[in-house]
Every structure is written in structure tokens, then in C-alpha cells.
Amino acid sequence: LKFASFHAEAWSTRPERFLPVACQLQNRAPPFDASMEPHYELSVANLLPPATVLLLISTIWSTYTFLHLIPQLQFGVPKAYYDSEVAFRGWTQTAISQGLTAMLLICYIRAVFTSPGQVPEAMEWRLGSAEDGLPRTREVKYSGERRRCKHCLVYKPDRCHHCRVCKCCILKMDHHCPWIMNCVGFRNHKFFFLLVIYAVLSCLYISTTVYSSIGRSIEQEVSMTRRFLLVQCSVLSTILGFLLTAFLSFHTMLMTRGMTTIEFCEKATLAGTGAKSTAYDQGRYQNIKATLGQNPWFWLLPVMSADGDGMHFDEVGEYAVKQVPITES
């Protein structure tokens, strides 16, 4: 009665989430609850950001490829007018730019379609389970009670937060990114980070190499459309490159400090230490491994995400022996 009274609103709106508790009382295994998985609404508002990203990528790539790279390769040019130096530069730039673009697209696909990680279906995480069998967590509410989600009706592991867009609790949630139409969490954080890295490298490389074609378009007689597209390619890649460099710097700082965006924004004063450290800061090298994986040879490849279950994290120093109340989210 106490359990049903405390969650009267949730009971009336989503009674199916209480099935596991009822099954526990009857010594039956709970059915699989698909509502624990993220819910993606294919609305115009949700599809517009990723569509914009793909439009920018295709615009910059097509202009750079067809108006800058292919003319340097000199296909069909008579041997008397063939410039081997320009052709070598063209093939080099083609290999580098297309390789960066391929890695960018692979990381983007993996960031979009990889689940960030949700609270497991195990009974011990279900709201209403016996307190004795609950896994230990260090993050608690200000009242001293365990953190719980009134929407998913589960107890929250450390660093777990509910996403109102995905409508589920995300393990080690960093933030919800509309550009990938997904949350950035424990299982896809590496792919998101690599996505930003390859986006920065692609934009900066394109913006610095396309200037030779812009110079030729000014010196030679070419159409205004061709000249405009080359300048547009340069401007877009330069602006995006600088913006993404600042964004990458911020996320690199967070990664090396063992923090997430939520922890940086909402927990600026964790146990009186300020925003420069958290209980999960194990030093730069270990913090990088916690995001990019244990093997440094695979850090820059979109494979082998971070090890662990996303619910238990090593704690260091004074934080390992004390619980810290945080703002419920």
C-alpha cells in the first residue's frame, strides 16, 4: 500500500511498469519490458538536426571532391599538359580527405545507432525491491534516500539520469545530443567523441587545402557558380572547424578529468572541491581509458567501447568512503 501510494501518479499513467514487483511477490520472473529502451519519435523536430548535419557533410564533401580534387587528378588531360606534381598532390589530398570523411561517417552512424545504455531489467533495480538486496551506490538524494526515477520506476545507478527526450534512464549520461538524435551515454560516448575529432580534422583539412582552388578560380576565367561554391566550401568548413575545435576542447577537458557534461554543469561543487575533480577522477590516462577503451591502439577507431557495465565505477581518495548527496535529475 505504501509503495502504491507513493507512486499513485505513475500507477495511473504507466501501470505496466509495476508488473515486475507483482511478479516478485508471486515468485515469478518479470516479463521483458520494452519501455526500458529509448523511445525515438520520428518527428520533424527530431529529424531536422541530423538532416542538417548530413546536408552540411554532403555539401562540403561534394564541392571539395568535384571542384577541388578531381580537377587536380587531371583525368582526360593530354600528356603534354599533364602536371605530375599537381596530380600527386591531388591523390594525396584525396586519400587523406576521403579517409577522414569515411571515419567521420562511420563514427556518426555508430553514435546514432548505438544504445547509450539503460538500467538493466534485474529485479534489484526495480522500484519497490527489498532495500537489503539493492546494489550499493554512492550518489544519494539530500534526504539520504536512494536516487530513483519516477518515470521509469527504477533505482538509479551512479551517474545515471533520466532523459525526457528518450524517455528512459541513461547510464553515465553525458547529455542528449539532437544532432545525433540520441543520448550520449556509457556505451556510445567513445563514438561521439571520435565523431567530433574526425569532424574537426575533416573541416580543418578541407579549409586549408581548398584555398589553392579558390586562388586559381580568381586568376583563371571560371563561372561565378563554381567560384561561389568553392568559397562556400571554405567558409563552411572554416566556421565549423573552429566551432567544433572549441567543442572538442571542452569535451577533452571533461574526459581527462573523469567528468560528464551533467556533472560539470549540475555538480560544480562536489564535496567542496569545485568543478575541477570528481569522485571518479583517476588521473588523465585512466580517465581516457575509461572512455576510449583499455587498448590505446584502438582509441581512434570506432570499435571496442569502454569496458564495464556503466553502473559501477572506481572511486578514489576521500570519495571512496563517503556518500554524496546530489540534486535529483
Side-chain angles (χ1 to χ4, degrees):
L1 292 177
K2 179 180 178 181
F3 174 69
S5 175
F6 182 80
H7 301 286
E9 180 181 356
W11 179 279
S12 61
T13 56
R14 301 181 69 183
E16 71 279 1
R17 299 307 307 276
F18 288 83
L19 284 175
V21 178
C23 292
Q24 183 188 40
L25 296 177
Q26 300 175 23
N27 294 322
R28 292 190 292 112
F32 175 76
D33 184 4
S35 60
M36 292 293 288
E37 298 294 326
H39 293 260
Y40 303 107
E41 298 180 2
L42 299 180
S43 62
V44 175
N46 290 337
L47 292 175
L48 188 59
T52 302
V53 170
L54 295 177
L55 178 62
L56 287 172
I57 293 175
S58 60
T59 299
I60 296 175
W61 176 85
S62 59
T63 303
Y64 184 78
T65 300
F66 293 105
L67 300 185
H68 173 73
L69 293 178
I70 292 181
Q72 290 188 93
L73 300 180
Q74 305 173 70
F75 294 126
V77 174
K79 190 174 182 179
Y81 299 98
Y82 187 84
D83 190 332
S84 59
E85 182 179 348
V86 173
F88 177 79
R89 184 171 64 246
W91 282 112
T92 303
Q93 293 180 1
T94 298
I96 296 176
S97 63
Q98 302 309 303
L100 291 175
T101 303
M103 293 299 293
L104 167 64
L105 293 176
I106 293 173
C107 293
Y108 187 78
I109 292 173
R110 297 223 60 182
V112 170
F113 292 103
T114 300
S115 172
Q118 293 80 41
V119 179
E121 294 290 322
M123 283 302 307
E124 58 263 25
W125 292 106
R126 286 296 190 177
L127 212 57
S129 301
E131 294 279 342
D132 316 356
L134 292 177
R136 178 183 177 273
T137 58
R138 64 175 305 278
E139 295 179 356
V140 295
K141 299 169 67 175
Y142 280 107
S143 61
E145 296 179 315
R146 297 180 65 91
R147 296 168 62 233
R148 62 190 69 187
C149 179
K150 64 181 179 181
H151 305 285
C152 299
L153 301 180
V154 295
Y155 292 106
K156 293 181 180 179
D158 290 336
R159 314 182 85 176
C160 176
H161 299 273
H162 183 83
C163 176
R164 292 181 175 85
V165 180
C166 295
K167 297 182 176 61
C168 70
C169 288
I170 305 298
L171 299 179
K172 194 187 175 185
M173 181 175 176
D174 189 88
H175 67 286
H176 180 86
C177 180
W179 303 107
I180 64 174
M181 204 170 64
N182 196 4
C183 270
V184 178
F186 177 72
R187 303 199 182 282
N188 67 343
H189 193 177
K190 174 182 180 178
F191 307 133
F192 173 80
F193 188 78
L194 292 182
L195 166 64
V196 181
I197 288 180
Y198 287 112
V200 169
L201 293 177
S202 298
C203 288
L204 295 183
Y205 186 79
I206 290 175
S207 64
T208 54
T209 55
V210 77
Y211 277 112
S212 60
S213 292
I214 295 178
R216 284 195 300 271
S217 69
I218 296 175
E219 297 171 356
Q220 302 174 2
E221 188 67 28
V222 298
S223 65
M224 287 297 297
T225 301
R226 184 187 185 92
R227 186 177 297 132
F228 169 79
L229 291 175
L230 286 171
V231 173
Q232 175 187 257
C233 175
S234 174
V235 171
L236 287 177
S237 57
T238 301
I239 293 176
L240 289 174
F242 280 109
L243 291 177
L244 289 172
T245 298
F247 188 70
L248 176 62
S249 301
F250 173 71
H251 275 275
T252 302
M253 179 270 293
L254 292 180
M255 180 180 64
T256 55
R257 294 181 180 178
M259 303 176 69
T260 64
T261 302
I262 291 180
E263 290 166 353
F264 180 84
C265 297
E266 297 185 357
K267 307 168 188 177
T269 54
L270 180 60
T273 63
K276 293 186 178 180
S277 66
T278 69
Y280 312 105
D281 185 358
Q282 303 180 68
R284 292 183 180 178
Y285 183 66
Q286 293 298 327
N287 291 337
I288 295 174
K289 289 171 66 176
T291 300
L292 302 183
Q294 297 298 314
N295 192 336
W297 292 102
F298 295 100
W299 280 359
L300 296 181
L301 298 178
V303 296
M304 298 176 62
S305 187
D307 294 339
D309 58 6
M311 298 182 293
H312 303 90
F313 304 92
D314 293 332
E315 302 163 8
V316 296
E318 59 177 319
Y319 303 110
V321 296
K322 63 191 294 187
Q323 288 185 317
V324 178
I326 65 171
T327 303
E328 188 66 57
S329 59

